[in-house]
Amino acid sequence: MLSLKLKKKVKPYDEALKTISPLARHHKEKKWNKSSIELMTMVSFGIVFIAIFAYLPMFGLILAFKSGDGYLNIMQAIFESSWVGFDNFKTFFEDPEFSNVMLNTLGLNILQLCINFPLPIFFAILLSELPWKKMRKAIQVVTYFPYFLSWITYGAIILALINSDGIINVILLKTGIIDQAINFGEPQYFWATIIITSLLKGMGWGSVIYVAAIAGIDPQLFEAADMDGANRFYRIFHITIPSIAPTIILFFILSVSGLLNNGFDHIYTFQNQINLSKSEVLDTYIYKYGTVNLQYSYTTAVGLFKSIIAVILLGCGNFVAKKTTGSGIF
């Protein structure tokens, strides 16, 4: 009996595949066509772009472990400078400005995370609750427009408004709120200026993703809630917010991973010699030492330090999100 089983012929692969499923047979018989080639060609451009502008420059990270400061030619600094190990990192940690720079960087970002992160969500919910479509579109156009202005242009407008003889001071003086014009360029006003200007410029555009997520919620959920007598606030807290929770978690994790990124152009626009004690952050610190003073190795070490912390924060944020909500990025 055993010998008969061994002599029994096994079906060829193609015949066996036909007995599995039509989907598997389709997968086996699928061939490259014109649309597939076009799609892969477009994808390949993106891969080449990322490889050239994202991964290839990472070779320069070796400068963080070399003495490449002061070279006029950065390629000479990479290939001809000597190795110094972790000396550049030690120099940064021992710098008297280290504590102040880290305090400003983390302080500003944590405040923006607490204030500027949830407000676009609330704004998107308010927009979705507006019954008048024309008003909704008008509000969206007005709030989206500042995002498309550069920080140099937008910052120049804000600086003109908050100048000592600008419209803000004029209104405050005429209403009797203040007795003399306020110099908003002083250190004590810098953090508030950054947070408010960031909110005004980015709240509208930051709500786009949440508006799209709310639009994707099944309308039958709201109809069922209306039939059960649920009011507006019940629908928001028990349908809208839980439905867009995965989107909120995703952007929260990404925001946490960027706690050391302030946005150079934003900070540099409002920075001056008076408010340096409150405005010097890692981004401006790297620019001044790296670009202006040609300390390539030193600032590469600072940038690598930022990247390592960002990866750690990303992993921690994702871990906490998965433990508390059950969902994360990876």
Side-chain angles (χ1 to χ4, degrees), residues 88-248:
N88 292 312
F89 294 92
K90 293 178 182 178
T91 303
F92 174 59
F93 296 144
E94 294 172 356
D95 192 331
E97 297 184 36
F98 171 78
S99 58
N100 186 56
V101 169
M102 291 300 297
L103 176 63
N104 292 335
T105 302
L106 291 173
L108 269 172
N109 280 327
I110 291 173
L111 284 175
Q112 291 189 77
L113 185 64
C114 295
I115 299 172
N116 293 16
F117 178 78
L119 286 180
I121 302 172
F122 298 146
F123 183 68
I125 294 173
L126 292 176
L127 283 177
S128 65
E129 293 295 325
L130 281 177
W132 306 286
K133 291 185 178 180
K134 290 185 178 180
M135 179 180 288
R136 187 190 310 165
K137 290 181 179 179
I139 293 173
Q140 286 176 319
V141 170
V142 172
T143 54
Y144 292 175
F145 177 72
Y147 177 82
F148 297 97
L149 297 175
S150 67
W151 270 113
I152 301 302
T153 304
Y154 186 76
I157 296 172
I158 298 297
L159 289 173
L161 292 175
I162 64 176
N163 197 12
S164 57
D165 56 351
I167 189 172
I168 302 297
N169 272 308
V170 171
I171 293 173
L172 293 176
L173 287 169
K174 288 188 175 181
T175 54
I177 298 177
I178 58 175
D179 297 328
Q180 58 181 2
I182 299 175
N183 182 8
F184 288 98
E186 293 181 356
Q188 63 267 30
Y189 302 111
F190 182 80
W191 284 19
T193 302
I194 293 298
I195 292 171
I196 293 172
T197 53
S198 175
L199 184 63
L200 292 175
K201 190 175 187 295
M203 185 176 68
W205 186 255
S207 65
V208 170
I209 300 297
Y210 302 111
V211 170
I214 293 171
I217 300 174
D218 189 352
Q220 293 182 358
L221 295 175
F222 296 104
E223 294 173 3
D226 290 335
M227 293 178 63
D228 291 337
N231 58 26
R232 188 181 300 272
F233 291 101
Y234 185 92
R235 293 198 305 268
I236 290 173
F237 287 103
H238 293 275
I239 298 176
T240 305
I241 294 179
S243 298
I244 64 173
T247 305
I248 296 174

Side-chain angles (χ1 to χ4, degrees), residues 267-297:
I267 301 295
Y268 196 70
T269 300
F270 294 94
Q271 188 180 73
N272 55 51
Q273 293 298 322
I274 300 175
N275 59 28
L276 277 179
S277 60
K278 293 292 184 180
S279 65
E280 191 74 293
V281 295
L282 278 173
D283 291 329
T284 56
Y285 182 85
I286 291 172
Y287 166 75
K288 291 176 181 177
Y289 280 89
T291 304
V292 178
N293 296 334
L294 303 180
Q295 296 189 23
Y296 299 129
S297 292

Side-chain angles (χ1 to χ4, degrees), residues 44-56:
S44 64
F45 285 127
I47 295 173
V48 171
F49 179 86
I50 294 174
I52 293 175
F53 294 100
Y55 286 97
L56 187 61

